[in-house]
C-alpha cells in the first residue's frame, strides 16, 4: 500500500480535529463538562479534630478536613427556610476526649456556559471535583486564615467524579486542551466554594461522635471491562463473589446529644448515569443520593441549604459502571460485551451500555435512589463507634521515577506519563469519536505518523517502559506550553482510630483497590495496628487517570491505556502508601520527607471563547418573556417559559449570585410568594441557547412533581449581562424577570 503524505497545513488541520474532538470526547469520562445546562455542585466540608490532640507522629494539634467534590445542589434561600444555624468560633480541645466535628457546604459550580457543558440541571457543591491547582490554592488560603491548623497532611480534597460539571480549571495541558482553555472563573469559584464550606464547618465545629457501618449495595453497578478483570489470577478472583466491590462504608456523625450532623460514605461507582449526550451540569447518581438524604434530613430547606450535610465519596470505581443493562449494539440489539467492545455493524461507536431507566434522567434517579436507600439503612443501624487517636501522613512523590520491588530480587519502574490508543476509544459509558478500539496493543502507522509530525516522536525509553501499551500521546515528554500531565502527585493517609482513609490520586479498578487495601491493612498490622479498616478514597488532591493491576494492563482496554505511569503503577502506589502506614503505626510521621512540591503554573492557555457583549433584540430587554407559560398545568406536566437571555458565565464573576431561577408559590394567608424550588432542585432545568453577536435566549422548565401542592405559581429568572460602552471597561449588570402566574391543579 502506498504511503500517505500530507502537507503541513493538512497535517495541522487533522491535528486540530484529533485534539479537539478525539481527545475531548475521550476525556469526557475524566472531566467536568459544562455545556448549556446547570445543576448545582455542592462542596461538603467535614472537619474532624480530636481533643486532646493525641496524634501519632506529631505533637501539634491535628485537625483533618475531607472536602468532597461535586455532589449535590444548592440554591437561593427560601423565604420559609430558617437560616443555617451557626455557632461562635469554636474553642477546640477543651475538656473533651473525643472528636470535634464540623460540617459545611457551599456552591462551587462556576462557569456554566462557553465551556464544555452549558446548561443547568442541579448545582455542584463542595463536594467538588478537585485537582492539584485547586488543592494548592486552597491550602494557601487555609494557611493564611488558620495558620497551621489545616495543612497538606490533614486536608483531603476528594471528588465524587461527576462527568457533568464545568471544565477548565486544571492546569496541565492535556486537560486545558480538552477544556478549550483554562477558565479562571470556574477555578476561582471552585476555590471560593471549597473555602466557604470549610469555613462553615470550622465555625460550626462541636464535640461529637462518629459511628461506622458497612453493607453491600445490590443492583447498582456492573464491571465495564470484565474481560480485563479475567486477566487477574484465577486464585485471586476466586476469593471474591463479584467482579465489582459492592460494599459501602459509611460514617455517621452526631453531636453529644445524638443529634445528626452529617455523613460520609464511600462506594465504587462511576457517576455516568448521565451519558455523554448530556449537556446539563449535574452531580449524577452520587449527587442524587446526596440530594435525597439531605432533603430527608433538612426538612423545610431548599436543596443545598440546611445544617445537615451528606457526602457520597468515590472509591475504586475505575472499571465500574452504573449502566446495569450492560453493553449492546444500539443498531441491532445484540450484546457487545467482548474484549474490544465493538459491534459487527458500526464498530465500537454502536456499543453502548444503558442504565435501568427509560432515559438517562430516570436511570440517574434509579441508581441514586438505590445508593441512598442503602446509606439510609446503614445510617439508621450504625452502632460501632470510631474511637482512638487521629493521625495523618502525606508526601509528594515523583511518580515518573519510582523503583518498585516486585520481589526480593527483581525490580520494576514507573514511567513518564503516556496515553495509549484505547484511551481514545472511550468506554461503553461513552465512546470516542474517531473509531479507535479498546484492547488495541499495536499502533497504527497513520496515527503514529501524524503524532510524530505534530508532537515529535516518543522516545524509545518511554515506549519500552509503557509496553505493551501502544503510545498515542507521550504526554510525559511534552512540556509546551506547560507539562501535559503531572509528574508530582500526592499520597496521603488519615487515620481515625481503627479507620484509615487512603487518599489516592486517581481511579483504581476493582482488583487494584482490593490489592491496595489488603496491602495497607497488612502493613498497619505488621507495625502494631491490627484490624485496621482501610477505605480507598478516590480522585483526591490531584488527578492521574486510572490505576489497573499489572495483569489488567496487558489487556490494554480503556482503563489500562489510561494508566499513565505504566504497568507497575499499582505496585508503586502500594509501596508508597505502605511507607505512610508504617510511619503512622510507628509514630514516625515527623521523619517523613515532604517530597518535591508540585508546580503551580501562572501562564495557562486562556479560554478559546472570547467574552462578548450581551445584546437584547430591538425593543426588548434582558429578561423579557418571549414564550409565556400556560395558564394551567397538572401534576406530571412541564412548565416552560422562554426569556431574553444573557450569557450565564457572567454570573460566575458575581460571588453573591445564588441561583438562576426560582419556582414560587403564592400563599394567600400571608400574601407572600414562597420559594419552593431553585436551580439545585431535581425538578427544574435551565437551558441557555446561544445565538449570534451576543443574542441569546434562556428556557426554564419546571417538571411538576406529584408532591406539588395545588395553587398559584410563578417562575423567576436571575441573570447577569455583560455591557461595554465605547472606550470603557466591560461591566456586569444584574437583571431579573418573572413569568406570568399559572395554576397547578390536580386535574383538568
Amino acid at each position: 500500500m502506498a504511503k500517505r503524505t500530507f502537507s503541513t497545513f493538512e497535517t495541522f488541520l487533522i491535528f486540530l480535529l484529533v485534539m479537539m474532538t478525539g481527545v475531548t470526547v475521550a476525556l469526557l469520562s475524566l472531566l467536568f463538562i459544562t455545556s448549556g445546562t446547570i445543576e448545582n455542585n455542592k462542596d461538603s466540608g467535614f472537619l474532624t479534630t480530636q481533643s486532646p490532640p493525641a496524634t501519632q507522629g506529631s505533637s501539634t494539634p491535628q485537625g483533618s478536613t475531607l472536602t468532597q467534590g461535586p455532589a449535590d445542589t444548592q440554591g437561593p434561600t427560601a423565604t420559609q427556610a430558617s437560616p443555617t444555624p451557626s455557632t461562635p468560633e469554636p474553642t477546640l480541645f477543651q475538656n473533651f476526649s473525643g472528636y470535634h466535628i464540623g460540617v459545611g457546604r457551599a456552591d462551587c459550580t462556576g462557569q456554566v456556559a462557553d465551556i464544555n457543558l452549558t446548561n443547568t440541571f442541579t448545582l455542584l457543591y463542595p463536594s467538588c471535583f478537585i485537582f492539584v491547582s485547586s488543592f494548592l490554592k486552597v491550602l494557601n488560603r487555609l494557611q493564611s486564615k488558620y495558620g497551621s491548623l489545616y495543612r497538606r497532611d490533614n486536608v483531603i480534597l476528594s471528588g465524587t467524579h461527576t462527568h457533568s460539571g464545568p471544565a477548565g480549571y486544571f492546569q496541565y495541558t492535556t486537560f486545558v486542551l480538552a477544556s478549550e482553555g483554562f477558565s479562571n472563573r470556574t477555578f476561582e469559584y471552585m476555590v471560593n466554594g471549597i473555602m466557604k464550606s470549610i469555613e462553615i464547618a470550622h465555625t460550626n465545629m462541636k464535640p461529637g461522635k462518629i459511628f461506622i457501618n458497612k453493607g453491600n449495595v445490590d443492583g447498582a453497578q456492573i464491571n465495564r471491562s470484565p474481560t480485563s478483570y479475567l486477566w487477574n489470577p484465577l486464585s485471586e478472583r476466586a476469593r471474591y463473589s463479584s467482579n465489582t466491590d459492592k460494599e459501602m462504608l459509611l460514617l455517621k456523625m452526631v453531636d453529644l446529644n445524638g443529634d445528626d450532623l452529617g455523613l460520609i460514605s464511600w462506594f465504587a461507582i462511576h457517576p455516568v448515569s448521565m451519558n455523554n449526550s448530556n449537556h446539563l451540569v449535574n452531580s449524577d447518581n452520587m449527587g442524587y443520593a446526596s440530594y435525597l438524604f439531605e432533603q430527608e434530613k433538612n426538612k423545610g430547606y431548599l436543596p443545598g441549604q440546611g445544617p445537615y450535610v451528606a457526602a457520597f465519596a468515590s472509591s475504586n470505581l475505575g472499571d465500574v459502571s452504573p449502566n446495569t443493562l450492560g453493553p449492546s449494539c444500539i443498531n441491532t440489539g445484540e450484546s457487545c460485551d467482548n474484549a474490544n467492545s465493538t459491534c459487527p455493524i458500526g464498530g465500537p461507536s454502536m456499543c453502548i451500555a444503558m442504565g435501568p431507566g427509560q432515559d438517562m434522567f430516570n436511570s440517574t434517579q434509579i441508581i441514586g435512589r438505590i445508593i441512598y436507600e442503602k446509606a439510609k439503612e446503614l445510617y439508621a443501624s450504625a452502632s460501632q463507634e470510631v474511637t482512638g487517636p487521629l493521625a495523618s501522613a502525606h508526601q509528594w512523590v515523583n511518580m515518573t521515577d519510582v523503583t518498585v520491588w516486585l520481589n526480593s530480587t527483581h525490580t520494576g519502574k514507573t514511567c513518564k506519563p503516556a496515553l495509549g490508543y484505547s484511551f481514545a476509544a472511550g468506554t461503553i459509558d461513552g465512546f470516542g469519536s474517531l473509531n479507535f478500539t479498546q484492547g488495541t496493543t499495536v499502533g497504527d502507522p497513520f496515527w503514529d505518523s501524524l503524532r510524530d509530525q505534530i508532537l515529535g516522536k516518543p522516545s524509545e525509553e518511554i515506549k519500552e517502559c509503557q509496553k505493551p501499551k501502544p503510545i498515542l500521546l507521550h504526554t510525559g515528554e511534552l512540556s509546551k506550553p506547560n507539562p501535559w500531565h503531572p509528574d508530582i502527585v500526592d499520597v496521603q493517609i488519615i487515620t481515625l482510630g481503627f479507620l484509615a482513609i487512603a487518599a489516592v490520586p486517581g481511579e483504581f479498578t476493582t482488583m487494584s483497590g482490593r490489592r491496595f487495601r489488603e496491602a495497607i491493612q497488612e502493613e498497619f498490622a505488621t507495625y502494631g495496628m491490627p484490624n485496621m479498616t482501610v477505605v480507598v478514597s478516590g480522585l483526591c488532591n490531584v488527578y492521574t487517570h486510572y490505576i489497573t493491576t499489572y495483569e489488567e494492563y496487558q489487556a490494554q482496554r480503556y482503563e489500562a491505556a489510561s494508566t499513565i505511569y505504566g504497568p507497575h503503577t499499582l505496585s508503586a502506589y502500594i509501596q508508597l502508601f505502605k511507607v505512610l502506614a508504617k510511619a503512622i503505626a510507628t509514630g514516625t510521621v515527623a521523619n517523613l520527607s515532604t517530597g518535591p512540591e508540585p508546580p503551580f503554573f501562572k501562564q495557562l492557555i486562556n479560554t478559546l471563547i472570547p467574552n462578548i457583549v450581551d445584546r437584547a433584540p430591538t425593543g426588548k430587554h434582558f429578561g423579557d418573556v418571549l414564550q409565556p407559560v400556560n395558564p394551567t398545568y397538572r401534576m406530571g406536566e412541564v412548565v416552560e417559559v422562554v426569556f431574553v437571555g444573557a450569557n450565564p458565565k457572567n454570573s460566575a464573576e458575581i460571588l453573591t449570585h445564588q441561583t438562576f431561577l426560582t419556582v414560587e408559590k403564592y400563599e394567600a394567608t400571608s400574601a407572600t410568594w414562597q420559594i419552593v424550588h431553585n436551580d439545585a432542585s431535581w425538578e427544574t432545568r435551565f437551558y441557555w441557547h446561544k445565538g449570534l453577536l451576543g443574542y441569546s435566549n434562556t428556557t426554564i422548565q419546571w417538571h411538576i412533581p406529584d408532591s406539588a401542592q395545588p395553587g398559584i405559581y410563578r417562575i423567576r429568572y436571575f441573570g447577569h449581562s455583560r455591557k461595554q460602552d465605547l472606550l470603557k471597561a466591560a461591566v456586569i449588570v444584574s437583571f431579573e424577570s418573572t413569568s406570568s402566574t399559572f395554576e397547578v391543579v390536580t386535574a383538568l
Side-chain angles (χ1 to χ4, degrees):
M1 184 174 67
K3 182 178 180 181
R4 288 172 287 187
T5 59
F6 300 88
S7 68
T8 301
F9 181 66
E10 288 172 327
T11 300
F12 176 72
L13 291 178
I14 295 174
F15 173 69
L16 286 180
L17 172 66
V18 174
M19 292 299 102
M20 301 311 295
T21 59
V23 173
T24 299
V25 172
L27 278 170
L28 283 175
S29 61
L30 311 175
L31 299 172
F32 284 141
I33 302 170
T34 322
S35 158
T37 308
I38 304 169
E39 173 180 336
N40 273 350
N41 267 355
K42 264 186 303 190
D43 198 16
S44 305
F46 290 84
L47 306 185
T48 305
T49 65
Q50 188 188 12
S51 288
T55 56
Q56 298 180 354
S58 175
S59 60
T60 57
Q62 192 104 329
S64 68
T65 303
L66 174 64
T67 297
Q68 189 211 357
D72 47 3
T73 58
Q74 175 171 357
T77 304
T79 309
Q80 77 275 18
S82 58
T84 301
S86 61
T87 59
E89 193 75 9
T91 303
L92 303 181
F93 318 127
Q94 281 193 350
N95 302 320
F96 178 64
S97 59
Y99 300 119
H100 281 75
I101 302 169
V103 302
R105 84 169 69 73
D107 182 10
C108 70
T109 306
Q111 180 175 336
V112 296
D114 281 350
I115 197 168
N116 281 337
L117 266 188
T118 307
N119 294 309
T120 297
F121 176 33
T122 61
L123 294 184
L124 306 177
Y125 293 86
S127 309
C128 286
F129 196 71
I130 308 305
F131 293 128
V132 64
S133 48
S134 300
F135 184 50
L136 295 176
K137 193 68 171 283
V138 169
L139 288 178
N140 288 338
R141 293 193 185 180
L142 286 173
Q143 184 178 22
S144 298
K145 182 156 188 170
Y146 298 108
S148 62
L149 181 61
Y150 304 122
R151 310 174 305 277
R152 60 178 175 79
D153 63 299
N154 63 12
V155 174
I156 299 174
L157 302 187
S158 175
T160 60
H161 197 34
T162 177
H163 292 51
S164 300
Y169 53 86
F170 198 18
Q171 64 176 353
Y172 291 98
T173 300
T174 298
F175 307 103
V176 172
L177 287 175
S179 306
E180 301 177 1
F182 178 79
S183 170
N184 193 61
R185 287 187 190 89
T186 296
F187 177 79
E188 289 295 332
Y189 207 97
M190 180 175 290
V191 170
N192 289 331
I194 296 166
M195 278 297 302
K196 184 177 179 180
S197 70
I198 294 174
E199 290 165 358
I200 292 171
H202 180 87
T203 301
N204 293 337
M205 201 179 301
K206 62 180 65 174
K209 294 183 178 182
I210 301 173
F211 297 90
I212 189 171
N213 206 356
K214 304 175 188 177
N216 286 350
V217 181
D218 295 317
Q221 38 159 231
I222 62 169
N223 192 305
R224 71 184 186 188
S225 287
T227 56
S228 292
Y229 182 86
L230 291 176
W231 280 68
N232 294 305
L234 176 60
S235 59
E236 183 179 34
R237 289 185 279 118
R239 296 168 52 198
Y240 304 99
S241 61
S242 173
N243 60 5
T244 61
D245 271 349
K246 296 181 178 296
E247 185 177 83
M248 173 186 288
L249 187 146
L250 180 142
L251 297 182
K252 173 182 180 178
M253 289 162 280
V254 299
D255 64 19
L256 294 184
N257 296 320
D259 294 330
D260 293 326
L261 296 176
L263 74 82
I264 307 176
S265 73
W266 288 268
F267 178 60
I269 190 169
H270 254 95
V272 289
S273 292
M274 301 292 291
N275 61 44
N276 63 357
S277 67
N278 170 56
H279 294 290
L280 292 167
V281 178
N282 72 93
S283 48
D284 215 280
N285 46 48
M286 295 287 263
Y288 188 66
S290 176
Y291 175 89
L292 291 175
F293 215 109
E294 291 191 358
Q295 289 294 96
E296 172 69 22
K297 292 294 184 179
N298 294 321
K299 297 289 188 182
Y301 287 88
L302 289 171
Q305 299 177 7
Y308 189 90
V309 178
F312 286 75
S314 61
S315 192
N316 53 320
L317 50 65
D319 54 357
V320 184
S321 169
N323 295 311
T324 52
L325 297 186
S328 60
C329 301
I330 58 174
N331 53 351
T332 65
E334 61 187 303
S335 173
C336 52
D337 194 5
N338 53 61
N340 303 112
S341 296
T342 188
C343 295
I345 302 173
S349 64
M350 293 291 108
C351 183
I352 299 175
M354 297 295 183
Q358 298 175 345
D359 55 32
M360 60 183 171
F361 298 97
N362 187 220
S363 291
T364 301
Q365 288 180 292
I366 292 171
I367 299 299
R369 184 169 289 278
I370 290 173
I371 297 169
Y372 156 74
E373 293 289 355
K374 175 54 66 171
K376 185 177 179 181
E377 173 192 324
L378 295 176
Y379 191 89
S381 60
S383 59
Q384 182 181 11
E385 187 174 357
V386 177
T387 60
L390 188 156
S392 59
H394 173 282
Q395 283 186 309
W396 281 306
V397 297
N398 184 348
M399 273 300 292
T400 71
D401 190 26
V402 178
T403 299
V404 179
W405 284 93
L406 305 176
N407 53 45
S408 60
T409 58
H410 291 78
T411 62
K413 189 178 178 297
T414 55
C415 314
K416 291 181 179 179
L419 292 165
Y421 271 66
S422 297
F423 160 78
T427 73
I428 59 173
D429 294 324
F431 59 87
S433 62
L434 294 173
N435 215 36
F436 284 87
T437 302
Q438 291 200 70
T440 299
T441 56
V442 179
D444 178 270
F446 170 70
W447 294 110
D448 285 351
S449 175
L450 179 62
R451 176 203 60 212
D452 294 348
Q453 292 181 57
I454 301 300
L455 301 174
K457 294 183 178 181
S459 68
E460 291 301 318
E461 176 189 0
I462 196 171
K463 289 194 291 184
E464 183 66 27
C465 186
Q466 291 275 354
K467 283 184 176 179
K469 178 193 293 179
I471 295 175
L472 180 63
L473 293 173
H474 48 304
T475 54
E477 296 180 331
L478 303 176
S479 59
K480 293 182 180 179
N482 291 305
W484 284 43
H485 268 141
D487 291 344
I488 311 303
V489 306
D490 302 69
V491 292
Q492 182 179 19
I493 295 177
I494 288 179
T495 60
L496 293 87
F498 58 82
L499 174 66
I501 302 170
V504 300
E507 304 180 54
F508 279 49
T509 60
T510 298
M511 193 62 84
S512 290
R514 289 167 174 170
R515 290 186 192 176
F516 177 86
R517 287 195 303 263
E518 189 173 78
I520 304 309
Q521 187 178 45
E522 289 176 355
E523 191 73 3
F524 274 117
T526 297
Y527 291 95
M529 295 180 67
N531 304 317
M532 290 291 287
T533 296
V534 178
V535 62
V536 175
S537 188
L539 301 114
C540 292
N541 302 332
V542 63
Y543 185 69
T544 63
H545 294 256
Y546 286 72
I547 300 93
T548 65
T549 66
Y550 178 85
E551 293 84 357
E552 292 165 349
Y553 190 87
Q554 310 309 306
Q556 278 302 297
R557 280 177 60 84
Y558 174 82
E559 294 82 14
S562 305
T563 298
I564 61 175
Y565 300 115
H568 299 299
T569 301
L570 174 60
S571 296
Y573 277 125
I574 289 175
Q575 185 171 290
L576 292 164
F577 275 83
K578 285 171 70 173
V579 171
L580 303 183
K582 178 182 177 181
I584 291 174
T586 58
T588 57
V589 171
N591 298 334
L592 289 175
S593 64
T594 301
E597 186 170 342
F600 185 85
F601 306 127
K602 295 184 178 179
Q603 299 298 322
L604 297 169
I605 301 173
N606 290 327
T607 177
L608 305 179
I609 302 175
N611 296 319
I612 62 173
V613 172
D614 293 289
R615 291 183 172 87
T618 302
K620 299 286 186 180
H621 300 89
F622 294 113
D624 282 358
V625 174
L626 297 176
Q627 176 186 309
V629 297
N630 296 333
T632 308
Y633 294 90
R634 291 180 297 179
M635 282 78 163
E637 293 186 331
V638 179
V639 182
E640 182 174 288
V641 57
V642 181
F643 299 93
V644 175
N647 197 321
K649 75 179 180 182
N650 300 327
S651 298
E653 298 183 24
I654 310 299
L655 295 181
T656 56
H657 173 73
Q658 291 189 337
T659 186
F660 288 98
L661 66 93
T662 57
V663 177
E664 301 177 1
K665 182 177 184 295
Y666 184 72
E667 298 295 341
T669 54
S670 59
T672 59
W673 289 94
Q674 305 294 316
I675 300 173
V676 294
H677 296 291
N678 56 16
D679 60 7
S681 300
W682 180 264
E683 296 82 1
T684 61
R685 314 255 172 100
F686 176 99
Y687 296 91
W688 180 62
H689 309 281
K690 184 177 183 179
L692 298 175
L693 304 176
Y695 295 99
S696 65
N697 295 339
T698 291
T699 300
I700 295 176
Q701 293 180 348
W702 177 33
H703 294 244
I704 306 174
D706 293 338
S707 59
Q709 297 296 313
I712 304 300
Y713 290 83
R714 69 182 185 183
I715 290 175
R716 300 184 71 195
Y717 168 35
F718 303 89
H720 295 85
S721 64
R722 179 176 294 273
K723 177 182 178 182
Q724 187 169 17
D725 295 327
L726 185 64
L727 302 179
K728 293 185 179 181
V731 294
I732 304 299
V733 180
S734 65
F735 65 89
E736 59 184 71
S737 182
T738 306
S739 74
S740 56
T741 60
F742 56 93
E743 185 177 8
V744 173
V745 298
T746 55
L748 291 179

